[in-house]
Amino acid sequence: MIKGVLKLGTLATFLMALSTAPSPTPAFAAGGGGGGGGEPPSAYPASSYPPSSPSVYPKRSGTKATHKLKKTKQSSLDDSTFGQGYRAAYATIYDRNDYAAAIEQLKALGHDDHPNVANLIGYSYRKLGDYKLSQVWYERALKTDPNHVLTWQYYGLWQIEQGNRDQAQYHLSRIAAICGTDCEEYRSLAAALEKPPGTGLVY
């Protein structure tokens, strides 16, 4: 009987000590980074990133921009066929400069409303000199994702090439609102705006 009481007392003491101990949950630092659209990295599933090869967007000297694939309602970015097709089209544009073939590859993906896809199609049409179709695709990318910083950058370059410097300045302000004035997209468009009107762009 005494042993039973002692055991119960020991158990009660142990349970009280346990209940007053600090919780073992990990502490997280405040703040956190974000992607181009202002979302935390957790908003991008690991499977949604293209491999490291297309992380420079596009290949241009002195600047670098990330090109993260983001979730859309119409696409499952866990689809490896889509990811492979996207990377193949990317290589067609930036390794082979075959813009017409890249447009066909991108359209064949069946994800025309994905902002990265639409932006690359717009970029390809711009490089082919078809500014009207290029504009349609840039607008489509921004309709899907109004914070798609790369589209604001490339559409801004489109504006400069069309002589719309005031509009390009607006695009620059949009980029600043999304990722600040120190991101590559901002610096690239700002540098293009500093060039005299009529200067041929190489982007």
Side-chain angles (χ1 to χ4, degrees), residues 123-134:
Y123 175 79
S124 297
Y125 275 123
R126 180 167 70 85
K127 296 299 282 186
L128 290 170
D130 192 334
Y131 285 90
K132 285 188 177 179
L133 273 177
S134 178

Side-chain angles (χ1 to χ4, degrees), residues 23-32 42:
S23 170
T25 54
F28 296 98
S42 60

Side-chain angles (χ1 to χ4, degrees), residues 104-182:
E104 294 307 312
Q105 287 176 295
L106 289 162
K107 288 182 177 180
L109 294 175
H111 295 282
D112 290 359
D113 287 330
H114 191 292
N116 288 349
V117 172
N119 186 44
L120 280 186
I121 294 173
Y123 175 79
S124 297
Y125 275 123
R126 180 167 70 85
K127 296 299 282 186
L128 290 170
D130 192 334
Y131 285 90
K132 285 188 177 179
L133 273 177
S134 178
Q135 182 178 27
V136 167
W137 286 95
Y138 284 144
E139 293 283 351
R140 192 169 187 165
L142 290 174
K143 183 177 179 182
T144 303
D145 182 2
N147 289 325
H148 199 254
V149 69
L150 290 167
T151 302
W152 284 110
Q153 178 192 1
Y154 278 82
Y155 199 5
L157 295 169
W158 182 99
Q159 299 286 2
I160 292 173
E161 289 178 353
Q162 293 295 291
N164 306 328
R165 296 181 74 82
D166 287 345
Q167 275 295 41
Q169 193 68 48
Y170 169 74
H171 286 235
L172 188 66
S173 70
R174 290 289 299 131
I175 293 170
I178 296 165
C179 66
T181 58
D182 198 40

Side-chain angles (χ1 to χ4, degrees), residues 45-67:
S47 60
S48 72
Y49 287 96
S52 57
S53 57
S55 63
V56 177
Y57 175 79
K59 292 181 177 178
R60 58 184 192 260
S61 59
T63 57
K64 180 171 135 181
T66 57
H67 203 232

